[in-house]
Amino acid sequence: MTSTKTPPTKLVRAVERVRHHLSRINQRAVPPAAAMMELIMGAWIAQLISAAAELGIADELAGGPATGEELSRRLNVDQDALRRMLRALIGIGVFRHRSDGRYELTALAETLRTDSPVSMAGMARWVGSAQHREHWSHVADAIRTGSAVVPALRGKPIFDYLADEPALAGLFNQAMTGLSESSVSAVVAAYDFSRFATIADVGGGHGRLLAAILESAPQARGVLFDLPEVVAGAPVLLRRHGVEHRIRIDPGSFFESVPEGADAYVLKHIIHDWPDDDAVRILQNVRSAARRDARVLLIEFVIPDHDRNFHGKWVDIEMLVVANARERTAAEYGQLLDKAGFRLTRVVDTVGPISILEAVAV
Ligand SMILES: C[S@@+](CC[C@H](N)C(=O)[O-])C[C@H]1O[C@@H](n2cnc3c(N)ncnc32)[C@H](O)[C@@H]1O
């Protein structure tokens, strides 16, 4: 199945290789200490982007260009500090200063709008939140011990902590919906879901991926499964996509059981959240619930066999810091699936950094 909007996967991989080599040339164009300083300043860049999202600057400029005075008044922020913030961000392509002195959105800044089609506002705010920052400030400890810092710092695992922190959980869910939004077209373009009558999304969050899958498979029905406090936020999104009458919302924990009898079980960015033992338990529960001929589809950043930069290698460290979990190679996913009674049948590449690992019951 192909989509007119999605470029060929091989072309995207070739562009990635070119970008990798260009970034090496870019680094070698300055002394190593200067190149390193640029990398270190990535922390400031990310934090200022997060602050721009928190202050709602892109949302405010969505209505059209504005002067610094207008913006600072509407956002209730200090005008001089805002000017300095925008000056820094404009230098890296986020926002633009027009010749008439007003500020406006660039394509990059558009992604910080909360209502942009693929919004990164939630992701920016989650990564820049005081709590997430605190977790990452202990990354050296995580490397020393090989263990997550969240349980030691918060006294509980990350999802229990989020359950007790509704505002932070809101940012996390918004971040996940934004991430799903950025990858749904890649997933539905790469895999034909129309052959399944019932598709369960296990740990499906607010249902953004399931909505896109059902849009690509008009005869199929869906089951959205996640923790009760998470699926409580799903109906609005499902209604927005006009699929609410085709989806059953099923709250629960995948450590107890998952919905029975689906033809396909989608688990997107679920197994990467857990260490091997927990991951196998989740997959065993899927195995107990699935029909014999059902397909299990893990959608993950599969760690590739090359030394170039890859999104998933960074998310892997996030998984270590936050959840004692990890990103895995295809062979490592194959081993987990084996232990749970499945066989990995193929790995489908997408135009994004994620792949679809398809498995069947043994
Ligand atoms: C990384 S998010 C992925 C969400 C979604 N699949 C996506 O790709 O956008 C992990 C999801 O697992 C859910 N989750 C965590 N623990 C769970 C449990 N015990 N049972 C069911 N879902 C759980 C979270 O609520 C969250 O929605």
Side-chain angles (χ1 to χ4, degrees), residues 185-255:
S185 55
V187 172
V188 296
Y191 194 89
D192 180 8
F193 290 90
S194 65
R195 62 196 164 123
F196 303 122
T198 309
I199 300 159
D201 192 350
V202 175
H206 287 172
R208 179 60 192 102
L209 175 64
L210 190 56
I213 289 174
L214 292 197
E215 280 165 357
S216 81
Q219 307 305 322
R221 303 192 71 80
V223 184
L224 178 65
F225 181 82
D226 206 301
L227 295 169
E229 62 273 21
V230 175
V231 288
V236 179
L237 187 149
L238 301 182
R239 270 198 299 277
R240 200 186 314 138
H241 289 274
V243 291
E244 75 280 11
H245 53 286
R246 292 164 59 203
I247 292 184
R248 188 179 93 232
I249 295 179
D250 199 345
S253 168
F254 44 49
F255 288 115

Side-chain angles (χ1 to χ4, degrees), residues 45-65:
I45 292 173
Q47 199 62 35
L48 208 56
I49 289 171
S50 176
E54 183 182 336
L55 295 170
I57 298 176
D59 285 332
E60 199 54 56
L61 287 174

Side-chain angles (χ1 to χ4, degrees), residues 159-160 162 172-173 175-181 183 201-209 225-231 251-258 266-270 272-274 282 299 319:
F159 288 111
D160 295 350
L162 286 177
F172 176 78
N173 289 326
M176 290 307 108
T177 299
L179 269 193
S180 277
E181 199 69 57
S183 57
D201 192 350
V202 175
H206 287 172
R208 179 60 192 102
L209 175 64
F225 181 82
D226 206 301
L227 295 169
E229 62 273 21
V230 175
V231 288
S253 168
F254 44 49
F255 288 115
E256 284 159 26
S257 63
V258 306
V266 174
L267 291 89
K268 176 165 163 287
H269 296 321
I270 299 302
H272 84 152
D273 279 341
W274 302 97
I282 297 169
I299 304 178
M319 291 302 111

Side-chain angles (χ1 to χ4, degrees), residues 129-358:
S129 66
Q131 296 93 327
H132 191 275
R133 281 271 158 199
E134 192 181 357
H135 300 159
W136 266 76
S137 69
H138 294 275
V139 66
D141 289 339
I143 305 295
R144 263 183 217 109
T145 62
S147 297
V149 302
V150 170
L153 212 57
R154 310 294 182 195
K156 56 190 88 162
I158 182 69
F159 288 111
D160 295 350
Y161 174 59
L162 286 177
D164 293 342
E165 296 278 335
L168 187 65
L171 288 186
F172 176 78
N173 289 326
Q174 218 184 313
M176 290 307 108
T177 299
L179 269 193
S180 277
E181 199 69 57
S182 70
S183 57
V184 285
S185 55
V187 172
V188 296
Y191 194 89
D192 180 8
F193 290 90
S194 65
R195 62 196 164 123
F196 303 122
T198 309
I199 300 159
D201 192 350
V202 175
H206 287 172
R208 179 60 192 102
L209 175 64
L210 190 56
I213 289 174
L214 292 197
E215 280 165 357
S216 81
Q219 307 305 322
R221 303 192 71 80
V223 184
L224 178 65
F225 181 82
D226 206 301
L227 295 169
E229 62 273 21
V230 175
V231 288
V236 179
L237 187 149
L238 301 182
R239 270 198 299 277
R240 200 186 314 138
H241 289 274
V243 291
E244 75 280 11
H245 53 286
R246 292 164 59 203
I247 292 184
R248 188 179 93 232
I249 295 179
D250 199 345
S253 168
F254 44 49
F255 288 115
E256 284 159 26
S257 63
V258 306
E260 288 193 351
D263 302 294
Y265 287 81
V266 174
L267 291 89
K268 176 165 163 287
H269 296 321
I270 299 302
I271 297 306
H272 84 152
D273 279 341
W274 302 97
D276 285 2
D277 289 357
D278 288 327
V280 170
R281 261 175 71 209
I282 297 169
L283 291 172
Q284 281 169 338
N285 283 341
V286 174
R287 178 73 181 80
S288 306
R291 296 152 45 109
R292 221 192 127 75
D293 57 351
R295 295 285 182 281
V296 174
L297 304 167
L298 310 184
I299 304 178
E300 299 282 3
F301 301 111
V302 177
I303 298 289
D305 185 21
H306 63 62
D307 283 337
R308 295 189 297 278
N309 199 8
F310 175 67
H311 197 86
K313 295 176 184 175
W314 296 97
V315 184
D316 180 51
I317 305 301
E318 165 82 349
M319 291 302 111
L320 168 64
V321 168
V322 169
N324 224 5
R326 63 196 310 129
E327 302 301 332
R328 297 172 172 92
T329 63
E332 287 167 339
Y333 278 112
Q335 285 161 12
L336 291 184
L337 286 159
D338 270 358
K339 285 185 188 160
F342 290 110
R343 180 172 50 85
L344 178 62
T345 44
R346 59 185 175 132
V347 182
V348 181
D349 209 6
T350 77
V351 290
I354 50 174
S355 303
I356 305 168
L357 300 120
E358 184 193 68

